[in-house]
Amino acid sequence: MSAFRSPRSHTDRLRNRIEDGDMGRVADEALRVMDSSRGAWGGSWQQVLDQLRELPAERRRALLYALADRFGQAGDETEARCRHLALCGMVSEGLTDDPLAAERHRALADLARHQSFWYAARFDVLFRAELAAGRPLPAPVVAVVRRAALDAYRAGDLTELAGQLTDPVLNVGEEWAEQAMRDAAAPDWQALLAHARTATASKPTAKWDKGARALLDTLGTDHVRARLHSWLALVGRPRTLPLERRSWAPDINNAYDPYNATALRGLAWLLSLLPPHPDTARALGALVETSLKKAAGLGPRNPKVANAGVVALARIDSEAALAELARLATRVTYKNTAKLLDTALEARAGALGLSREEIEELAVPAYGLTEVGRAEHRFGEVTALLEVQGTRAVLGWRNAAGKPVKSVPAAVKRDHAEELKELKAGLKDIDKMLSAQSERLDRQFLARRTWSYTTWRERYLDHPLVGTLARRLLWTVDGTTAGYADGELRTLADDPLPQGTRVELWHPAGHEPAEIVAWRDWLERHAVTQPFKQAHREIYLLTDAERATGSYSNRFAAHILRQHQFHSLAAVRGWRNKLRLCVDDSAPPATRELPQWGLRAEYWIEGDGEDYGVDTTDSGSYLRLRTDQVRFYPIDAPQNSAHCSGGEYGMWLRDGQDPVDPLPLADIPPLVLSEVLRDVDLFVGVASIGNDPTWQDGGPGGRFREYWTSYGFGELNQSAETRRSLLQRLIPRLAIADRCTLEGRFLHVKGERHTYKIHLGSGNILMTPNDQYLCIVPKSAPTAPGTGYLPFEGDRMLAVILSKAMLLAADTKITDPTILSQL
């Protein structure tokens, strides 16, 4: 690269070269200008460009060809080549000569694989040269221009150029958009897509709705609904034209095209103007969830599209739309979208004169179930039997004689295709809602919720869908605990429980251990698998160490957690947290507000490490966190904060405010203390690096080796103790029972090659001789084969441990080369 010279020296040197009349030397000096300025054509360098433009046509033609001869100097970098071509384009204005047309075509083809470009590269000169030559820009290049023009810092001429590029109506590169353009070839459909592209506000205006309704009246609501549903079903699929991505750049190929995203918002709003339909609620709910899926380096793919889906659902007055809002409210953790969902549900509740909790309960549809967890559908002489089994809906078939058949009969596929499609869609709806309602119920322990007996039976025990969960839980009716078995509510002694007055969800805190064990036996006797831990729920009592510290708990301090996993899990459990970035910034602790109790729980955390790119993602967020205290404050106390990379937490107060002291742990209600500490135990148990079987080397620089060893094989936490108690009952039923024993913190499994010790907390394995470490990475969704009855769902680590035990008990049958190399 040439040495830097001032704009003045460039101007003088260029004037001298021009006066000499040697266009080759003028070209060399002009390229030096470009090299030094890196394409910053404005400002002082404009004088240089003006000198070139003022040359007579013949001299500019000679200069153009001199620049063309030197094009090889540009190298292989796209932007450098395009700067050279842009300089040629500015020199050749008004000339018919185009010696680098082929190179410009190649440069544009290369540009088509990019998300955007720096304005300094002056690609707009290339675009205008193509258009001046009578050649329309290729659709992928149009897409790049439009995306580049969306940058807030773009010059007006590029925005103006993008506005002139109206064909195609959407950007190519996304499957949904390309399908939409194929389907919308007629002018009225083109107008619909163009109108969708004007959805630039946070919600539709009356004027926007008026224009949309006119288009809907022309095209027909049924046709529009069918096409919009088919387009939205393709949103989020892999790009049809993958874009080049640098290693440090965000995952642009998993994000939405920002130009098309505006159209997606408009399409969501259009759906809200159509007559209500169950498929519409499904399509909008799926759009919200797809749009909030995370892309590396970006976070959620496109929150604005997700928010548009929520706005659309809130505008639809139907049971299906309300159900979708309620379901999404239990699943969405992105703050702004969650707030929109809350607002929508609060508004609907206010309109009906109900509480938020009541609207969530009433929003759960029956999904065609005619009794709790069951429905029959007739298709001619064939019967479809829909049953809820645990966490999912299952479809079975019976022929005209009433005998079960394994698959969908051909006559149903042929004569009842639409009804079959709707039935299968309903199954997916049930599965999603079951998961959402299970999570909602699991969070009810701290809600202090009670129901009248009649309301509770209607909304819970006898509800066709929620009843499949409620009948597997324990309830307190007028002070008496009861479970559902053999068609009615029963006490611990299996006596039928008469109708009561008030009902609440039972929690083991405050009950005698003997009673808790008795209810566990009752559930097992009746083969009830609870949707989450209730009778087996961990109880966290105040320890002597916590009584000594008084106002904080160190029970879950000094752990190393994977930050992003912790962040996601915290959001699901109702905690608020801010990702720690490796920058000079502060953040509050992870907090959970408990308005029913007037309390706020805090879990103090900090980013770990200082090596950018090793201890952080490419975007700068810490990969790992260090944990510290758990504290409680009044809910209206000022917020604590600390530097993201560590340091003392404190309240930064104004106007002479006094800091608020943390509350004594002894004053925290036992149920609140237990549930909050259970959440924190869950965060550590799931997100700790000690659970990762591949970290035996201690991670970067080996600095986590001591922690990994102490956690991966150390004392059991409360969850692991619960797991141990359950394994004591399960092991005798296993086919490998004669090869398994429980000793302390480990499940010992005797194989033919070795004896193995599986840690009950982390699932990590040691084997004879000398406690050699054995690394077995579990599948993403492990199962627990051959275990028979389990008293609750959702313990992934239990499934991991049992799967490893089954594998190692038959270690001579192992074929995995990675495992075999360690045995």
Side-chain angles (χ1 to χ4, degrees):
M1 179 178 290
S2 61
F4 178 80
R5 296 185 178 90
S6 70
R8 177 73 181 186
S9 65
H10 274 304
T11 305
D12 293 342
R13 289 171 62 84
L14 188 64
R15 182 180 297 112
N16 293 335
R17 299 290 180 263
I18 292 173
E19 290 176 355
D20 292 341
D22 187 341
M23 289 299 105
R25 299 184 71 184
V26 172
D28 291 335
E29 189 60 33
L31 291 172
R32 290 191 188 98
V33 174
M34 183 182 69
D35 190 33
S36 293
S37 66
R38 300 294 294 174
W41 304 102
S44 300
W45 302 120
Q46 190 66 40
Q47 300 174 37
V48 174
L49 301 176
D50 288 344
Q51 291 184 66
L52 301 181
R53 288 192 178 107
E54 291 170 0
L55 290 171
E58 286 305 314
R59 300 188 76 184
R60 281 194 292 119
R61 181 175 290 108
L63 174 59
L64 172 62
Y65 280 94
L67 289 170
D69 289 342
R70 290 158 174 76
F71 183 72
Q73 300 174 15
D76 297 327
E77 184 186 19
T78 299
E79 291 195 0
R81 293 166 67 86
C82 287
R83 279 197 298 270
H84 195 122
L85 290 167
L87 179 59
C88 292
M90 286 183 276
V91 167
S92 65
E93 289 177 3
L95 302 178
T96 58
D97 304 69
D98 197 358
L100 292 177
E103 294 294 348
R104 188 169 65 247
H105 297 160
R106 279 193 285 272
L108 290 176
D110 185 61
L111 176 64
R113 300 194 296 271
H114 291 247
Q115 168 78 357
S116 185
F117 57 86
W118 292 108
Y119 179 68
R122 293 307 302 265
F123 284 93
D124 61 303
V125 176
L126 278 64
F127 306 146
R128 295 183 191 281
E130 283 294 286
L131 295 173
R135 290 186 291 268
L137 296 179
V141 176
V142 172
V144 178
V145 176
R146 288 169 170 171
R147 290 193 294 264
L150 291 174
D151 190 321
Y153 298 100
R154 294 299 181 188
D157 53 354
L158 182 63
T159 304
E160 180 186 358
L161 174 62
Q164 297 169 1
L165 302 175
T166 58
D167 185 32
V169 65
L170 300 175
N171 279 355
V172 296
E174 291 183 316
E175 189 171 344
W176 82 264
E178 293 177 2
Q179 184 62 51
M181 289 187 286
R182 286 192 292 269
D183 292 343
D188 288 337
W189 282 99
Q190 287 276 304
L192 183 89
L193 289 178
H195 188 68
R197 271 281 310 131
T198 65
T200 55
S202 60
K203 58 183 179 180
T205 63
K207 181 179 179 181
W208 193 94
D209 280 348
K210 182 179 179 180
R213 286 193 172 95
L215 289 166
L216 295 176
D217 290 343
T218 301
L219 295 169
T221 56
D222 289 342
H223 288 118
V224 172
R225 179 190 297 112
R227 285 196 174 176
L228 265 60
H229 288 175
S230 68
W231 299 344
L232 294 188
L234 302 175
V235 173
R237 291 195 177 183
R239 285 186 58 86
T240 57
L241 297 173
L243 301 173
E244 289 186 0
R245 175 195 176 198
R246 297 179 179 177
S247 59
W248 48 264
D251 184 6
I252 51 178
N253 285 308
N254 199 28
Y256 289 0
D257 185 302
Y259 185 86
N260 289 347
T262 302
L264 279 177
R265 296 168 74 185
L267 295 180
W269 295 350
L270 280 165
L271 281 174
S272 69
L273 297 175
L274 302 176
H277 192 282
D279 283 349
T280 297
R282 292 187 192 114
L284 290 171
L287 180 66
V288 172
E289 291 187 293
T290 301
S291 301
L292 292 179
K293 287 183 178 178
K294 293 183 178 179
L298 285 173
R301 282 169 163 171
N302 200 296
K304 289 184 178 180
V305 173
N307 293 348
V310 173
V311 168
L313 284 168
R315 300 208 310 165
I316 300 173
D317 185 13
S318 75
E319 180 186 80
L322 179 58
E324 201 63 28
L325 287 170
R327 184 186 71 81
L328 289 169
T330 69
R331 307 303 298 267
V332 168
T333 58
Y334 183 72
K335 185 176 179 180
N336 290 340
T337 308
K339 185 177 180 180
L340 268 181
L341 287 164
D342 287 342
T343 300
L345 288 172
E346 292 284 359
R348 192 68 62 90
L352 297 175
L354 301 171
S355 68
R356 164 66 185 274
E357 292 80 10
E358 288 178 304
I359 201 69
E360 286 185 344
E361 292 167 354
L362 292 172
V364 185
Y367 293 110
L369 299 170
T370 52
E371 53 187 294
V372 176
R374 193 175 186 279
E376 289 187 0
H377 299 269
R378 296 284 297 181
F379 295 90
E381 295 184 343
V382 177
T383 302
L385 177 62
L386 191 160
E387 289 186 306
V388 175
Q389 298 178 4
T391 59
R392 59 190 297 267
V394 177
L395 196 59
W397 296 91
R398 298 182 185 277
N399 60 22
K403 294 182 179 180
V405 291
K406 292 183 178 180
S407 58
V408 183
V412 175
K413 294 180 180 179
R414 182 185 66 244
D415 301 331
H416 304 277
E418 284 302 314
E419 297 102 308
L420 178 62
K421 179 183 176 182
E422 178 64 23
L423 181 60
K424 289 184 174 180
L427 257 69
K428 294 180 180 178
D429 290 342
I430 290 173
D431 289 349
K432 290 179 180 179
M433 186 60 85
L434 278 172
S435 176
Q437 291 302 309
S438 179
E439 291 175 9
R440 184 178 70 84
L441 280 165
D442 194 16
R443 294 200 293 263
Q444 292 298 305
F445 292 110
L446 288 177
R448 308 188 88 169
R449 192 97 165 84
T450 61
W451 300 266
S452 69
Y453 184 85
T454 302
T455 299
W456 170 75
R457 292 237 25 161
E458 176 186 348
R459 298 180 187 174
Y460 286 88
L461 199 69
D462 296 332
H463 187 280
L465 181 73
V466 182
T468 65
L469 302 171
R471 292 184 178 190
R472 294 189 283 142
L473 295 171
L474 300 178
W475 303 86
T476 300
V477 181
D478 295 338
T480 300
T481 305
Y484 191 88
D486 300 326
E488 56 187 322
L489 286 171
R490 297 183 181 275
T491 65
L492 190 57
D494 273 339
D495 297 326
L497 187 70
Q499 180 172 328
T501 304
R502 305 299 298 175
V503 182
E504 58 187 321
L505 189 60
W506 181 86
H507 190 284
H511 293 270
E512 293 295 326
E515 181 188 355
I516 297 171
V517 172
W519 274 113
R520 291 176 181 177
D521 291 339
W522 187 93
L523 291 169
E524 184 173 344
R525 185 167 71 250
H526 291 285
V528 175
T529 297
Q530 297 200 292
F532 48 81
K533 289 183 184 178
Q534 185 190 27
H536 291 78
R537 203 172 189 84
E538 299 82 9
I539 302 174
Y540 297 79
L541 304 174
L542 205 60
T543 64
D544 291 340
E546 288 161 344
R547 291 189 181 91
T549 56
S551 60
Y552 61 89
S553 169
N554 270 329
R555 199 185 305 200
F556 302 104
H559 286 282
I560 309 296
L561 310 185
R562 292 177 288 267
Q563 171 169 219
H564 293 83
Q565 190 172 20
F566 163 77
H567 183 71
S568 298
L569 188 58
V572 168
R573 295 299 301 168
W575 290 67
R576 291 184 179 179
N577 181 55
K578 179 180 178 181
L579 282 173
R580 268 61 178 168
L581 299 176
C582 188
V583 295
D584 187 14
D585 192 15
S586 62
T591 62
R592 181 174 181 181
E593 293 188 348
L594 305 165
Q596 295 87 348
W597 305 85
L599 297 172
R600 182 181 76 232
E602 297 186 353
Y603 189 25
W604 289 9
I605 54 177
E606 63 185 45
D608 175 83
E610 54 187 22
D611 193 347
Y612 204 94
V614 175
D615 296 318
T616 72
T617 64
D618 291 333
S619 58
S621 60
Y622 283 105
L623 291 171
R624 292 168 291 276
L625 299 172
R626 289 186 178 272
T627 68
D628 201 349
Q629 304 172 6
V630 175
R631 295 189 176 206
F632 291 85
Y633 289 87
I635 195 168
D636 57 355
Q639 184 70 67
N640 282 304
S641 63
H643 197 278
C644 290
S645 62
E648 185 176 355
Y649 274 91
M651 293 181 181
W652 303 99
L653 306 173
R654 296 180 178 179
D655 304 324
Q657 280 184 289
D658 293 325
V660 176
D661 293 329
L663 298 169
L665 295 180
D667 293 347
I668 305 301
L671 175 61
V672 176
L673 180 71
S674 182
E675 283 297 298
V676 167
L677 292 182
R678 183 178 184 272
D679 275 355
V680 178
D681 194 358
L682 178 68
F683 302 155
V684 173
V686 172
S688 171
I689 63 171
N691 287 326
D692 191 333
T694 66
W695 269 58
Q696 69 270 24
D697 61 354
R703 69 178 189 266
F704 301 115
R705 187 178 292 113
E706 183 178 348
Y707 170 76
W708 184 86
T709 302
S710 65
Y711 182 89
F713 299 103
E715 295 298 322
L716 302 182
N717 61 14
Q718 198 68 37
S719 296
E721 289 287 0
T722 299
R723 195 173 297 127
R724 189 183 192 284
S725 299
L726 179 57
L727 284 169
Q728 285 179 323
R729 304 171 74 106
L730 286 179
I731 288 173
R733 307 172 190 165
L734 300 179
I736 59 170
D738 60 333
R739 292 181 170 269
C740 296
T741 55
L742 274 173
E743 295 182 20
R745 305 188 296 269
F746 297 92
L747 171 61
H748 292 246
V749 180
K750 181 175 176 55
E752 296 298 328
R753 300 172 183 265
H754 302 275
T755 296
Y756 309 90
K757 299 194 305 185
I758 307 175
H759 190 261
L760 302 179
S762 66
N764 290 337
I765 306 167
L766 300 174
M767 63 181 178
T768 57
N770 304 322
D771 281 348
Q772 180 181 345
Y773 177 66
L774 174 61
C775 178
I776 299 179
V777 179
K779 296 179 180 178
S780 56
T783 57
T787 56
Y789 166 78
L790 290 174
F792 54 81
E793 296 164 351
D795 188 345
R796 180 180 183 276
M797 186 55 70
L798 177 63
V800 167
I801 291 170
L802 289 171
S803 295
K804 288 182 176 180
M806 297 287 186
L807 177 72
L808 296 173
D811 57 1
T812 56
K813 298 180 181 179
I814 294 174
T815 58
D816 187 301
T818 303
I819 300 175
L820 285 175
S821 66
Q822 303 174 73
L823 296 179

